[in-house]
Every structure is written in structure tokens, then in C-alpha cells.
Amino acid sequence: MADELTPGNPETPEESEEQAIKQRKNGLYPGVSDELAENMRSGWADTELHDLAPIAQAAHTADRRAALSARFPGERLVIPAGNLKTRSNDTEYSFRASTEYAYLTGDQTHDGVLVLEPAGDAHEATIYLLPRSDRENGEFWLDGMGELWVGRRHSLTEAEQLLGIPAKDVRELAAALKEATGPVRNVRGHDAGIEAALTDKVTAERDEELRVFLSEARLVKDAFEVAELQKACDSTARGFEDVVKVLDKAEATSERYIEGTFFLRARVEGNDVGYGSICASGPHACTLHWVRNDGPVRSGDLLLLDAGVETTELYTADVTRTLPVNGRYTEIQRKIYDAVYEAQEAGIAAVKPGAAYRDFHDAAQRVLAEKLVEWGLVEGPAERVLELGLQRRWTLHGTGHMLGMDVHDCAAARTEAYVDCTLEPGMCLTVEPGLYFQADDLTVPEEYRGIGVRIEDDILVTEDGNRNLSDTLPRRSDEVEAWMAGLKG
């Protein structure tokens, strides 16, 4: 990685003009001569892009902003993208725009802020962005965030054409917000500078109402979002196929090989993984969020792979399959797997418009409770087990969650709008029952210990029932074995 000459970052346009860009400590060049500075100002072609077409979701983001405007008439609404976060010293984590900002704009650039200003009975939207880096003061080649270091940004004019929103320089925004009057709401937790500018104008309660509204607005997906979720699931299925094809290499190395293999598919076909991939082999499958992925992969064990591709528009899949590393389930593995499959089938069947959100969870848990009673692991009947929650020793988690731009989407929604809601067409959720017998669980026979099984699919509620967006991946145990055999040739 090259060592930037200077790390300075002017805060305002005025500072950009007046402040000399700072020299990096321990840089190899002591400074910039007047002659070099003058030379770097000129001789560059005009690269402005013209007649740009709006992004694919521009009409959808406009509808989303209109719904937001209608909910909070007469109030200024501030939705930041967020800032870069330091990973170590002068390197940053890869940036991921806040879900609320990306949902309303389609933009994903750091430091951006969407502002809806009251205008009569509606709002006027403005997107505040960093303009292209300055060539007059040398920012474009000397600053750590300059164009020659991190790549070209869109000009404000280009951004307006792409996003369909008037664009202004974000470096002017904090000062303007400090002078603003009237009611203001802000999505907190993403931009400390914006929050500081609004500190005496907002309240935690009012800001939380804005966050809750934007979370609930995503409960029902529009056509663009459904297409993105399908794309994410299709890429994820290909990523699972990639993993099966290299299980021999994972056996020779570790779970990290599985993680890296899936990540390659996510980066080639999408933006990233939607969450840390869980590549849990053997007893690690009993740890719900095993993301260390540093354990061995052994023939005869199960691999619980829970992973999802995030599309370039930030919609993620969330899929789990529990696979026999050597391609064949043992008798006890198949027994447990088939029980989870039966529970998932019951859960998926309960997903339909007009059903209670909780129905799919209850249906899946009932099947698992009945299996635990049948196997003699807990005293029945199943009704007693469910009433006391005794099955939870081995089922551990809820059977699913909403899915979208966040893997656990709509998390800030009110309970009555989420867990206690009635399912509607356009909602998308996971159905993911599991059974986990910890390696040190002395309440179960030894043959059960260290086996963890979860099967998870992404289910869209439709007008007449549901659609499994991830159904290209087999689920039934015999189909899984045949699929793996075919991929291994």
C-alpha cells in the first residue's frame, strides 16, 4: 500500500481553498515546490460525465421519500450515510452506507447526507455529498482521500442526474444545520459531526420515531427489492456450490477455506457478504454465530454453512445448509437432519398472507418438540414441552426474522408491526429451525453430542401463499447427497 504524501481533510470549502494540505509525518518528501504545485494544476482533460441515466431504483427511492415526507409534515429530516471508520492507524474499514440513507437515495458514498426540508405540505429533498476533489489546492493528488489515491467521485451535477435529487456540497451542511430553525429529526449513530450540529434541536424520542418509521417502511418490499433479494439468493446458491466443490481443500486446511471460497463469489457477483459467514464444521455447528472459522473440517462431520451474498444495491440473502463433509449423512446425522427438515417444511407452509407472523415459528417448534419427546430426550407431551419452553435447550433461537437490506431487517420496528403483525404480500422472512446438541450435554446420548443442524431459506409472502427465493439449493437429505455427488463429479 502506497504511503500518501499528506492526510489532510479540509472541513469546509473555505478551508479547502485556504488551508495548505498537511504533510504526513515521516513522509519521504519534505514538501511540494511551487513549480510542482503549479504543474499539477494544469494539463488535465475534462472528465465530466454528461447525459447520465438515473439509477435503476430512482423511481422507487422517490416513492420512499414521498412516504417519509407524508409521515412528518413540516419537519426537517436528516438522514446521514455515515463516515469512514478507522481500522488501524490510517487505514479504514470498507464503507457501507447506513441502510436508511441507501434505502431513500440509492447512494452509497461516505459522508453523504439526505435532508428533507419542509416546503408547504411536502418536502424538498437535497442530497449533500463530497464534490470531486479540488485540483487547485492539490487535494486531488496530495490528500489521503484525494482522487488519485482512492478514485474519482461523481461531481454534484453527475450525482443529481443519477439519483434524481438536487445535490450540494456536504461541507456546507453542518454550519447550515446549526442555524436551522423549526422541528428537526435525525437518524442517529452514523455521523457525529451532523449530530453535533443538531445537538440543541433534536430529542432522542423524536429521532427514535424517525428510525422506527424507516424500519417499518421496509417491512413490505417493492418490486425492485424483491428482484434484488432473488438476485442475492441466486448468487448465494452458486456460492454454496463453490464450497461443495472444494471441500477436499477445506479438509486439508480449515474452515477458513470455506469462508474464503464463499467470499469470492460474494465479491464477484455482489458488494460483499451480507454478514460474517458461519462456516461451522463438527461441534462448531452448535455455536449459533461461529464466525471464527478457524477449526478443522473432517470427513464424517457435518458442515453448517450459514452465508449470504449482499448485492451491489445492499440487499442480502441469508441461507443455511448443513452438509455432510464426505457427502453422506450417518444414521444419527440423518435422523436429526430429517427432523429439522420436517420442522422447516411445517414452518414454510405457515407463511402466507393473513397468517400471524408467529405462526411459522410455532409450527416449526411443535415439530421439534414432538421429535424430542419421541426420542426420549424430554418428558412429554409436546404441549407441556412447548408451554414450559423445554425444547429451547436444543432449539435455542427463534425460527426466523425479516430480511432485506439488513440481514435482520426492520429491527427497530414496533413489536405490534413486526412480531405481532399479520403477514402481507411483499414481506420477506427467513425460516430456519435448528437442533443443537452441545458436545458437553450430558442429558442426551453420546451419539447426539456435537451435532448441530440448521436449514434456512428466504421466503417471500405472495398473494396466494409464499415463494422460496432460495429453493435452487436442495433441502431434503437424499437430495442434498445427490446434489453434492453431482458437484464433486
Side-chain angles (χ1 to χ4, degrees), residues 27 66 72 91 108 116 164 191 208 258 308 341 377 380 388 408 424 486:
F72 298 104
T91 61
Q108 297 180 34
L116 271 63
D191 192 317
E208 181 63 12
I258 295 166
Y341 171 76
L377 302 184
L388 299 175
H408 296 144
E424 301 176 37

Side-chain angles (χ1 to χ4, degrees), residues 230-245:
Q230 184 64 72
K231 186 189 303 182
C233 288
D234 293 344
S235 290
T236 297
R238 289 188 284 273
F240 275 64
E241 292 175 354
D242 296 339
V243 167
V244 172
K245 292 175 182 177

Side-chain angles (χ1 to χ4, degrees), residues 341-411:
Y341 171 76
E342 187 178 330
Q344 195 203 25
E345 283 282 272
I348 292 174
V351 176
K352 53 191 174 185
Y357 174 85
R358 295 176 182 271
D359 286 353
F360 77 97
H361 170 71
D362 294 342
Q365 290 292 298
R366 173 166 290 278
V367 171
L368 296 179
E370 290 170 349
K371 295 295 182 181
L372 293 168
V373 171
E374 176 187 327
W375 298 341
L377 302 184
V378 64
E379 181 183 346
E383 287 74 13
R384 168 184 173 272
V385 174
L386 292 167
E387 181 181 356
L388 299 175
L390 302 179
Q391 84 284 0
R392 293 178 62 186
R393 181 182 179 103
W394 302 286
T395 65
L396 295 179
H397 55 79
T399 308
H401 52 80
M402 292 293 183
L403 182 69
M405 296 185 79
D406 292 336
V407 65
H408 296 144
D409 208 29
C410 313

